[in-house]
Amino acid sequence: MTPDQLLAAPETVLPTLRGAVAGLPSYVPGRPSAGADIAALASNESHYDPLPAATAAVAEAAGRMNRYPDMAAVELRERLARHLGVTAGEVAVGPGSVGVLQQIITGLCDAGDEVVFAWRSFEAYPILVELAGARPVRIPLDDAEGHDLDAMAAAVTARTKVILLCTPNNPTGVPISHARLEAFLQTVRSDILVVIDEAYVEYADAGSGPDSLALYRRYPNVCILRTFSKAYGLAGLRVGYAVAAPAIAEGLRRTALPFAVSALAQKAAVASLDAGEEMEARVAAVKQERARMAAQLAAQGWKLQPSQANFLWIRADSRLLAVLVDAFDSAGILVRAYQGDGVRITVADPASNDRVLRLLEAHTA
Ligand SMILES: *Cc1c(COP(=O)(O)O)cnc(C)c1O
């Protein structure tokens, strides 16, 4: 039969996607984030150019891209181990921390196993869980936009394999305190992996969130997840990592897609760690802007929870959300709207932040 005849035949059954895949949201392309008057404040990227040392490392490595990268990422894992005070055997890298998280979930969950996480939190969580055939268990945030750890502990069942904690939480910016997280860990079964997703940890004030490495040393079922995509400014290169007990980290390395972290990304990540002070100066500037925006928005009458990340969160009912989305759209400011919940705005350069402040002043709730 020709392809046309095959398609026309009424009995033809075409390949079907798994139900879990058919149920996933489609990727909606955003508007171009470049352009004279477009402010790209939707993805919590660094608004700075890449660190010069990272750009130089990429340029240097580009001449060898006919070769596969080091699959074991030895240099980067050893550099991270030194940076964190762990061994390279406790480090697994992947294509962004989302890539590492996919390795975690597929590595630990069988079909029907449960993954508990707060909601609203990072949008990738339910997608990765459902893709693995596991069951997402969403626990609503508390009234202060933070994790309701009591409710999360109560949601644990015999099928729970992983708990995802996001601190500071995306999209609300609220951290989990060290004391509350430690009290939570004391109640969680030791065979459940507790992932602490710290994508924005560099932006958190000292002492606002957990000392995750200290908790990891005390509770070996803790796994720390971090990324070079946000404060380090390497979102486009795709590299993140996990710190976990050696057997878990080894398992994550085994589940990795071969060569998923390019040599360019590995070299840029090493160079970025070496340029830590430069990164910290940039982070300090963003934090200063965050404080300036928070103060001005409070003066305008907005009641926001303090953010420990490089974004602000405005809770909005559907009426306010529609008004804000319209206003940001007309102003050429790209922000992230969450139907039914609110809008998240990345803190960037002072000029962009001023545009946000002017816009919000006209729409005070
Ligand atoms: C941005 C983000 C990540 C990091 O994503 P990458 O895959 O490393 O780019 C992870 N977790 C959260 C909560 C994030 O917001």
Side-chain angles (χ1 to χ4, degrees), residues 43-44 94-101 121-125 166-170 197-200 225-230 234-235 238-241 311 344:
S43 301
N44 302 336
S97 56
V98 170
V100 184
L101 184 57
S121 190
F122 189 33
E123 281 166 299
Y125 296 162
C166 186
T167 177
N169 186 45
N170 175 8
D197 182 347
E198 295 190 307
Y200 303 96
L225 199 57
R226 292 189 183 169
T227 181
F228 287 94
S229 294
K230 303 289 160 52
L234 298 181
R238 316 306 303 131
V239 52
Y241 62 94
F311 50 81
R344 189 195 68 199

Side-chain angles (χ1 to χ4, degrees), residues 48-292:
Y48 291 99
D49 289 339
L51 293 163
T55 308
V58 166
E60 215 263 315
R64 289 186 305 279
M65 65 189 174
N66 53 312
R67 303 293 179 189
Y68 284 113
D70 173 11
M71 195 159 114
V74 171
E75 184 191 6
L76 174 56
R77 284 175 40 233
E78 284 178 349
R79 182 66 186 82
L80 280 167
R82 190 149 59 79
H83 178 67
L84 301 165
V86 298
T87 63
E90 296 166 277
V91 179
V93 301
S97 56
V98 170
V100 184
L101 184 57
Q102 182 166 42
Q103 292 162 224
I104 291 171
I105 292 172
T106 55
L108 275 87
C109 293
D110 283 314
D113 284 341
E114 293 170 358
V115 180
V116 177
F117 52 87
W119 199 249
R120 205 172 258 285
S121 190
F122 189 33
E123 281 166 299
Y125 296 162
I127 295 173
L128 296 178
V129 172
E130 277 170 19
L131 200 50
R135 213 170 71 75
V137 179
R138 297 174 176 81
I139 305 301
L141 294 171
D142 65 19
D143 291 342
E145 305 279 15
H147 284 54
D148 184 344
L149 293 178
D150 292 340
M152 294 183 83
V156 167
T157 72
R159 295 301 304 261
T160 306
K161 286 283 169 66
V162 178
I163 298 173
L164 304 175
L165 304 175
C166 186
T167 177
N169 186 45
N170 175 8
T172 63
V174 173
I176 303 171
S177 79
H178 184 88
R180 288 180 53 230
L181 185 41
E182 171 137 43
F184 175 75
L185 288 169
Q186 281 167 357
T187 71
V188 171
R189 281 199 327 262
S190 62
D191 64 324
I192 297 174
L193 190 72
V194 179
V195 177
I196 307 178
D197 182 347
E198 295 190 307
Y200 303 96
V201 68
E202 294 86 357
Y203 292 105
D205 293 332
S208 64
D211 179 346
S212 56
L213 281 158
L215 292 174
Y216 162 69
R217 288 194 187 91
R218 215 163 308 147
Y219 302 88
N221 59 323
V222 162
C223 169
I224 299 168
L225 199 57
R226 292 189 183 169
T227 181
F228 287 94
S229 294
K230 303 289 160 52
Y232 283 101
L234 298 181
L237 272 181
R238 316 306 303 131
V239 52
Y241 62 94
V243 177
I248 304 265
E250 160 65 17
L252 298 184
R253 293 195 291 274
R254 262 187 264 149
T255 59
L257 198 65
F259 309 112
V261 182
S262 71
L264 277 59
Q266 293 181 34
K267 294 286 184 192
V270 170
S272 299
L273 289 168
D274 292 343
E277 281 181 21
E278 222 173 326
M279 180 276 291
E280 280 166 20
R282 294 172 168 201
V283 163
V286 169
K287 286 170 68 172
Q288 202 176 332
E289 279 295 286
R290 176 178 75 196
R292 180 177 76 90

